[in-house]
Amino acid sequence: MARRKKVYEGKAKILYEGPEPGTFVQYFKDDATAFNAQKKDIIDGKGVLNNRLSEFFMTGLAQIGVPTHFLKRLNMREQLIRQVEIIPLEVIVRNYAAGTMSERLGLEEGTQLPRPIVEFCLKDDNLGDPLVSEEHIIAFGWAAQQDLDDMIALALRVNDFLSGCMMAVGIRLVDFKIEIGRVWEGDFQRLIVADEISPDSCRLWDIETGEKLDKDVFRRDLGDLADAYTEVARRLGVLPSNVTHATKPTLIN
Ligand code: TYD
């Protein structure tokens, strides 16, 4: 088979040209990064878990009428996706205070917010993805007012869906980030959920114990990240039957 053309390589994923125009193959790596890639490691099996989890969430969203870029999973680490024009904003939805919101506003982590709050950060690693206001977004032309309204509506629908999925398996969805892309259908554009939805970009706490089951395990050195993601996948019933996170051979007595 001819070697595929790499279109883009990010911190956790690689995009290759897809088999048909308008498609990409999205490959999930095992690389974990935090604090703008100042902290890095390879977590065996993370890519396999995130490929499955993102498939699970994107498929569920499509079933409730939320459009996404996901077309189909191809193998353990790859999925076929629609090519989109990524809007250069990280869209964050928060249900409880944590992370930078806690720092900025002096709120104790875990404080329930009066309602879900949507925030936007500019996707720019050199600047450390700064928080931006709707005024900035419109003035600098990163998105139009109509896009903003659509993005907020989309993000809140994703929040309701993800919160419900997680609540059903005893997990609190504290916050998450999504990326949104534009697709063109004739002269009309539509916004759809793109990138990935996985514990890399969510805060997930066990409802009973408060145990963290997301990338904070890596950011804050709280234990084994793959174990945490495996637990999320296991509870949701999406663990691939033939894979554990261990990829090294182990001796069997
Ligand atoms: P936030 O608390 O703002 O930042 P940090 O993760 O650095 O403490 O993040 C809110 C949520 O959004 C959290 O679940 C992580 C996620 N997120 C990303 O996945 N990538 C990003 O670039 C940003 C800004 C947030």
Side-chain angles (χ1 to χ4, degrees):
M1 201 177 87
R3 261 195 88 66
R4 287 177 304 184
K5 190 165 159 219
K6 194 191 281 188
V7 179
Y8 174 80
E9 177 155 6
K11 285 174 280 206
K13 298 186 295 292
I14 305 174
L15 288 183
Y16 295 99
E17 255 178 17
E20 285 159 33
T23 65
F24 283 147
V25 171
Q26 178 164 255
Y27 176 98
F28 287 77
K29 302 195 281 185
D30 280 342
D31 300 60
T33 62
F35 312 116
N36 212 357
Q38 288 169 42
K39 182 176 162 86
K40 291 186 199 176
D41 205 353
I42 303 285
I43 311 290
D44 282 346
K46 179 172 84 79
V48 175
L49 288 160
N50 282 354
N51 186 26
R52 284 282 182 157
L53 284 163
S54 203
E55 172 192 17
F56 175 78
F57 297 127
M58 296 281 186
T59 308
L61 284 168
Q63 281 168 359
I64 62 160
V66 176
T68 83
H69 73 164
F70 180 84
L71 295 171
K72 70 171 178 178
R73 189 168 57 78
L74 298 170
N75 55 48
M76 291 215 318
R77 286 186 182 271
E78 294 179 328
Q79 46 184 244
L80 188 67
I81 58 169
R82 281 185 76 172
Q83 192 174 338
V84 302
E85 212 175 277
I86 288 280
I87 294 181
L89 298 167
E90 318 255 4
V91 184
I92 294 171
V93 183
R94 301 179 184 270
N95 299 303
Y96 297 82
T100 57
M101 173 180 253
S102 289
E103 287 163 25
R104 265 197 316 273
L105 303 181
L107 290 170
E108 195 184 334
E109 288 210 311
T111 308
Q112 186 165 17
L113 301 173
R115 61 176 174 83
I117 294 178
V118 182
E119 289 177 353
F120 298 95
C121 292
L122 181 65
K123 263 171 72 73
D124 186 328
D125 283 342
N126 291 330
L127 298 176
D129 294 339
L131 184 69
V132 291
S133 72
E134 297 190 16
E135 281 280 282
H136 292 122
I137 294 170
I138 305 293
F140 290 112
W142 298 316
Q145 184 63 55
Q146 182 62 53
D147 294 335
L148 263 181
D149 297 344
D150 292 350
M151 284 165 77
I152 292 171
L154 213 47
L156 290 174
R157 287 200 72 194
V158 174
N159 185 46
D160 285 346
F161 172 77
L162 279 184
S163 295
C165 284
M166 293 302 176
M167 180 71 75
V169 297
I171 295 174
R172 167 165 300 148
L173 179 65
V174 173
D175 59 30
F176 66 93
K177 181 262 311 189
I178 53 170
E179 294 185 23
I180 292 177
R182 245 185 259 284
V183 288
W184 291 92
E185 278 151 17
D187 284 343
F188 294 97
Q189 64 142 35
R190 213 153 62 99
L191 298 188
I192 69 177
V193 178
D195 189 49
E196 74 180 292
I197 300 180
S198 76
D200 267 5
S201 44
C202 298
R203 282 198 169 89
L204 304 170
W205 297 357
D206 182 273
I207 287 178
E208 294 292 320
T209 65
E211 185 192 355
K212 292 183 181 17
L213 299 168
D214 56 59
K215 209 166 91 177
D216 273 348
V217 171
F218 172 71
R219 289 191 195 91
R220 303 180 186 186
D221 294 317
L222 300 175
D224 186 317
L225 190 69
D227 283 350
Y229 288 19
T230 302
E231 176 62 11
V232 175
R234 190 191 63 73
R235 288 197 201 183
L236 292 167
V238 293
L239 250 193
S241 54
N242 58 344
V243 176
T244 65
H245 84 264
T247 54
K248 296 186 201 83
T250 41
L251 275 179
I252 299 168
N253 291 324

